[in-house]
Amino acid sequence: MKFYAHTAEDANGKRLPKAAWQLLKVHLRQVAELAKGFASVMALETEASLAGFLHDLGKYAERFQARLDDNSIHGINHWTAGARKAAELKAALVDYVIDGHHTGLPAAGDLRQSLLKMADPLLAREHTGCAESVAELMDRLVADGAELPSPAARPEEDSFASALRTRMLFSCLVDADFLDTEKHFDPEAAAQRAVPPLQPGRALGLLQAALAAMPSDGPVNQLRRQLLADCLGASEKSPGLFTLSAPTGSGKTLASLAFALRHIAHHNAALPPNGPRRWCRVIVVIPYTSIIEQTARVFRELFEKEFGRDYVLEHHSAVAPREREEDGGRDAEEERLRRARLAAENWASPLIVTTSVEFFESLFAHKPSDCRKLHNVARSVVLFDEVQTLPARLVPSLLSAVRLLTQEPYGVTAVFMTATQPAFASAKAALPYGWQPLEISSNPGAMAETMRRTRIELPRQDERLSLLAVAAKLGEHPQALCVVNTTAHAREIFRLLPMENRFHLSARLCPAHRQETLKLIRERLAGSQPCRLVSTQLIEAGVDVDFPIAFRALGPLDSIIQTAGRCNREGRHAEPCPVVVFRPEDSTTPPGAYRIAAAKTEEFLKRHPDAQERLHQPGFYARYFAELYSLVGRDSAEADPVFAASKAFDFPKAAAECRLVGDDTRSVLVKWRDGEELIAKLRREKHLSPEDWRRVQRFSVNLYMSEFLDAQGKIKQYIVEAIEGVWFWNSKYDDDFGACHPEGDDFCP
């Protein structure tokens, strides 16, 4: 009897004869080979190969084969038999990987129960829906010519490290399974997955040529050259954990990329040309989509002409279709989008720009689609930007995972970059694998001193300003930035400003609207035209605006420093420009960690009367972070719910707990530009194309659940369900304030 893994259909969906179906032995062998290749960079090739051969062992059951001919047959579990066999072979962790390759990595207790059922013929039949025992299925596998590898016993390691190894092995299997299945069902898509190699030497040459063409005069550009020299000099150091402490505007984005490319070129030169342990990828991890978009745009301008469109992958939920080229048209754009979607599934591209959420939540995910990419993190250089934004409550699990990745067998080099380097070392008690990075900058203190382009003016003790007074101070300057802690304050100050040349930014504007507003603001700043901007904290991290003066409501210390990075950013003014910190009469701040950090800042500054002269020094805010982590961090790794769940091998719980952004928000589509068209299409057709779903992210706002439920209430009904689970804002969308209410002056959802 021939056993099959998959059927086959023609272009019209008609079932083809069995001669076109994929033989099960072919599928198992090809998945085993693919998984083995992926795992070879992590010295997990034997386990991955075994998982490949056993993952579909249950498909040798006669009822499964009958199901291929009869779609009415349901209720077949074709994976637990392979997991049971892996457990019998004492192949550590392979049973988890096989059992979860369709439904997700299980919790330890659930897997144990499943494997126990397989030992009882009656329970096994009920559990799998098939009559054959594991031994009978194995006889058919062996008769099909399979020779199972025998994984060697591994040295003992702690359970958190084992959980990470399980996810990496899981990634190898599920990506191999997806790719081989896709090759059978959709060979056209499989052919589109070819991506160019990194070619670090050539890429570094292009980058250095672009940097050499930039202006070199003035102290700011001299410091940028010094930082680049530091990065190139440090690139020959051994792979591992690094920090890069550099002020805003110092050029760390491109300097760090130069480090990554030179680091890979140098260390690969010492390896066999076609060996599996070579570094072949750079991953840039950034907290906010606005920074990702501008970073990806810079990278594409550098490399796309030389290496093609597939060289840079921009992966985040709000990624926008790029403008169609004149000679490409819609077909070319749709093909590019399809290729980008394929690359995003498993991060096969050589240069990836993604979010902190995507990176870290994938590291602790348990679903196959989320974990596919993980094996491509091994043997890569990962550049983490704006690392001060990592939530303190998850520091033990997030940093412990990164620390493990920088060790063998994963071989990752990680660089943590920011102007305000968090004092992660102060959390040593909660970091069981240690935290001793090497600093790349030769003298971060001196660089901060020389790059001091602003002077931060702190308020006198107990001095408070009304919002009217703040607006009056803003009105005294043709170009000024004001950053506040709440949407309500931003909205009120904006309304108190003269109507001409005023701008407002908050999370109530959808991403596409914010991007358009920022473009207009940059144009006015570059043209020396009047421009007064009032914004919430979303302006602070990496948004490249350059104001001659800034005002900042008293809040977390690192937020104040980040606001200063939007003032005299390019050093166009010879004297340091003022960043005026004020204490609003209404001192309301967002709840949770933000409020704790704001209170700590107030107390910390009171204890340091010389703070105004020391705020630019990295060591000063490192002390602040050390004290902050004592309040909002974890005393031990086990107190971190993600760490604890991972140690317990409860993969679903670890995934649920690892949320960098609170899950107490709800996304709502708004009627702004394309958003109105998308809402109408949803209501009319009840579905959207994949490209349209990506556009939805750019025309949506996130509301806290309390706001969402209030606006959804029977009386207001400002939120309407377009289709199940997809909501839209049915009230006013203002050109200045975004999603708001129309009644009187109430512009707060």
Side-chain angles (χ1 to χ4, degrees):
M1 178 179 177
K2 288 184 177 181
F3 296 93
Y4 297 94
H6 303 113
T7 60
E9 297 175 344
D10 62 18
N12 297 317
K14 184 179 179 181
R15 180 72 58 91
L16 292 173
K18 286 188 176 181
W21 294 12
Q22 186 181 35
L23 289 170
L24 181 52
K25 65 179 180 181
V26 172
H27 176 63
L28 298 182
R29 183 179 68 250
Q30 291 179 168
V31 170
E33 283 300 310
L34 274 174
K36 179 181 178 180
F38 296 151
S40 63
V41 300
M42 300 175 283
L44 289 169
E45 53 264 53
T46 309
E47 289 92 337
S49 179
L50 179 63
F53 275 114
L54 292 178
H55 79 287
D56 279 353
L57 179 62
K59 289 187 177 182
Y60 277 105
E62 292 181 8
R63 189 162 182 261
F64 178 85
Q65 294 299 309
R67 192 237 182 278
L68 293 177
D69 280 310
D70 184 356
N71 289 334
S72 67
I73 298 175
H74 295 289
I76 297 177
N77 170 336
H78 67 262
W79 47 88
T80 304
R84 172 72 190 189
K85 184 60 183 178
E88 291 174 0
L89 294 173
K90 302 188 183 305
L93 313 181
V94 178
D95 47 356
Y96 282 89
V97 168
I98 294 174
D99 192 73
H101 82 274
H102 274 293
T103 58
L105 287 168
D110 293 337
L111 177 64
R112 193 178 305 115
Q113 290 299 317
S114 293
L115 298 185
L116 284 173
K117 289 177 182 178
M118 295 301 295
D120 183 300
L122 291 177
L123 292 177
R125 181 167 187 166
E126 179 183 344
H127 189 61
T128 65
C130 299
E132 292 86 349
S133 66
V134 172
E136 289 174 299
L137 297 173
M138 280 300 302
D139 287 342
R140 294 171 186 175
L141 174 66
V142 172
D144 242 354
E147 296 183 11
L148 300 185
S150 300
R154 286 190 167 274
E156 289 292 323
E157 62 180 350
D158 68 85
S159 53
F160 182 85
S162 292
L164 178 63
R165 184 154 60 91
T166 303
R167 294 187 191 95
M168 298 299 276
L169 182 61
F170 183 59
S171 169
C172 297
L173 174 64
V174 295
D175 194 28
D177 191 25
F178 271 112
L179 291 174
D180 188 66
T181 302
E182 177 185 72
K183 186 177 180 181
H184 172 71
F185 282 110
D186 193 354
E188 181 182 349
Q192 288 182 320
R193 286 189 179 274
V195 295
L198 179 64
Q199 300 187 62
R202 287 180 64 192
L204 180 61
L206 291 171
L207 174 57
Q208 289 181 303
L211 291 170
M214 292 180 178
S216 58
D217 57 324
V220 172
N221 289 317
Q222 291 175 10
L223 283 170
R224 288 171 176 167
R225 289 201 304 274
Q226 179 60 53
L227 187 65
L228 175 63
D230 289 343
C231 286
L232 292 173
S235 64
E236 296 188 8
K237 295 183 182 296
S238 299
L241 183 63
F242 295 83
T243 54
L244 179 57
S245 304
T248 298
S250 59
K252 67 177 181 293
T253 298
L254 294 182
S256 63
L257 179 60
F259 166 87
L261 295 172
R262 178 74 183 90
H263 187 74
I264 291 174
H266 173 77
H267 290 289
N268 278 353
L271 297 172
N274 297 314
R277 310 285 282 175
R278 295 170 65 83
W279 287 261
C280 59
R281 189 166 290 104
V282 178
I283 303 172
V284 182
V285 181
I286 299 174
Y288 304 115
T289 56
S290 58
I291 320 175
I292 290 176
E293 289 166 348
Q294 68 189 37
T295 302
R297 183 169 60 250
V298 169
F299 290 171
R300 285 194 294 263
E301 290 170 356
L302 283 170
F303 302 125
E304 192 171 273
K305 185 177 180 181
E306 179 78 12
F307 300 118
R309 282 177 169 265
D310 298 327
Y311 195 77
V312 178
L313 171 65
E314 181 182 352
H315 185 201
H316 56 89
S317 60
V319 65
R322 290 160 59 189
E323 294 181 4
R324 298 181 177 88
E325 297 181 357
E326 293 180 3
D327 59 348
R330 179 172 295 275
D331 290 344
E333 177 63 14
E334 288 177 351
E335 179 180 341
R336 188 202 69 78
L337 285 169
R338 187 186 191 197
R339 294 171 72 94
R341 288 198 306 275
L342 294 173
E345 290 173 354
N346 63 356
W347 281 6
S349 297
L351 181 52
I352 296 157
V353 190
T354 191
T355 63
S356 302
V357 169
E358 186 68 41
F359 184 89
F360 284 110
E361 291 188 4
S362 294
L363 271 184
F364 291 95
H366 76 298
K367 291 293 186 182
S369 58
D370 296 322
C371 290
R372 279 185 67 182
K373 63 180 79 73
L374 291 182
H375 68 87
N376 277 327
V377 174
R379 301 288 155 182
S380 65
V381 175
V382 187
L383 307 174
F384 296 95
D385 199 9
E386 304 290 357
V387 292
Q388 79 283 352
T389 60
L390 293 180
R393 63 187 177 83
L394 296 180
V395 158
S397 53
L398 303 187
L399 297 193
S400 293
V402 171
R403 190 70 186 100
L404 286 171
L405 288 174
T406 61
Q407 299 171 352
E408 291 300 332
Y410 308 114
V412 168
T413 286
V415 183
F416 277 57
M417 310 184 296
T418 183
T420 52
Q421 197 70 239
F424 289 143
S426 66
K428 286 181 180 178
L431 300 175
Y433 308 105
W435 193 260
Q436 294 178 315
L438 292 174
E439 173 59 46
I440 291 175
S441 176
S442 57
N443 195 338
M447 175 168 283
E449 192 71 43
T450 308
M451 291 285 289
R452 190 178 181 185
R453 300 183 299 266
T454 61
R455 64 177 190 275
I456 298 177
E457 301 175 2
L458 296 174
R460 295 188 300 273
Q461 189 170 348
D462 299 327
E463 177 189 12
R464 294 186 180 276
L465 285 181
S466 68
L467 298 186
L468 178 62
V470 174
K473 288 180 176 292
L474 275 173
E476 295 171 2
H477 305 274
Q479 293 186 340
L481 167 67
C482 181
V483 182
V484 292
N485 295 317
T486 68
T487 302
H489 283 181
R491 187 175 56 250
E492 183 61 24
I493 294 173
F494 174 86
R495 296 160 79 185
L496 292 168
L497 287 173
M499 294 185 65
E500 298 79 14
N501 311 310
R502 63 179 183 176
F503 297 89
H504 167 271
L505 286 175
S506 79
R508 295 297 179 259
L509 275 64
C510 66
H513 192 174
R514 294 201 300 265
Q515 188 175 17
E516 182 177 287
T517 302
L518 278 168
K519 181 181 179 182
L520 182 56
I521 289 168
R522 293 185 183 110
E523 289 173 353
R524 296 192 69 82
L525 291 173
S528 300
Q529 297 173 282
C531 177
R532 301 178 186 94
L533 170 62
V534 188
S535 175
T536 57
Q537 310 91 274
L538 62 83
I539 194 73
E540 288 175 340
V543 179
D544 56 347
V545 291
D546 188 1
F547 283 86
I549 186 171
F551 296 82
R552 180 55 165 97
L554 187 61
L557 186 59
D558 55 306
S559 293
I560 294 172
I561 302 299
Q562 290 297 326
T563 293
R566 312 314 121 198
C567 181
N568 199 17
R569 185 181 179 88
E570 296 299 324
R572 294 189 177 96
H573 303 271
E575 294 297 321
C577 292
V579 177
V580 182
V581 181
F582 63 93
R583 188 182 289 106
E585 285 182 338
D586 173 9
S587 58
T588 301
T589 57
Y594 190 95
R595 184 168 295 169
I596 294 172
K600 165 52 67 176
T601 297
E602 181 96 39
E603 182 267 339
F604 183 79
L605 293 177
K606 283 182 180 179
R607 286 192 288 105
H608 295 85
D610 60 343
Q612 190 158 295
E613 298 303 316
R614 299 176 62 192
L615 281 175
H616 65 289
Q617 298 173 354
F620 185 69
Y621 41 78
R623 291 175 61 184
Y624 157 78
F625 272 114
E627 294 185 21
L628 177 64
Y629 284 150
S630 70
L631 293 175
V632 299
R634 299 291 184 180
D635 295 331
S636 67
E638 284 70 16
D640 179 333
V642 177
F643 195 99
S646 291
K647 284 197 70 172
F649 265 52
D650 190 340
F651 293 101
K653 184 177 181 181
E657 294 283 359
C658 188
R659 290 290 178 265
L660 270 66
V661 179
D663 57 3
D664 58 343
T665 61
R666 182 67 64 88
S667 180
V668 178
L669 191 55
V670 297
K671 294 179 179 179
W672 188 80
R673 304 281 174 82
D674 291 7
E676 191 157 10
E677 172 197 330
L678 290 168
I679 291 169
K681 188 173 182 180
L682 262 177
R683 303 189 81 180
R684 182 178 64 250
E685 301 179 14
K686 306 303 181 186
H687 69 88
L688 295 175
S689 67
E691 289 75 22
D692 282 340
W693 280 118
R694 283 165 174 76
R695 291 166 64 209
V696 164
Q697 298 293 330
R698 297 185 59 76
F699 295 92
S700 297
V701 298
N702 289 324
L703 303 180
Y704 288 109
M705 281 305 297
S706 58
E707 299 169 331
F708 178 87
L709 294 173
D710 179 61
Q712 185 194 16
K714 292 182 179 179
I715 297 176
K716 294 182 178 178
Q717 292 187 328
Y718 292 141
I719 294 177
V720 175
E721 196 170 24
I723 61 173
E724 185 178 357
V726 181
W727 304 83
F728 70 91
W729 184 252
N730 199 37
S731 188
K732 182 179 176 63
Y733 188 91
D734 189 82
D735 285 339
D736 293 320
F737 297 131
C740 58
H741 295 332
E743 298 96 7
D745 293 333
D746 180 14
F747 284 100
C748 181

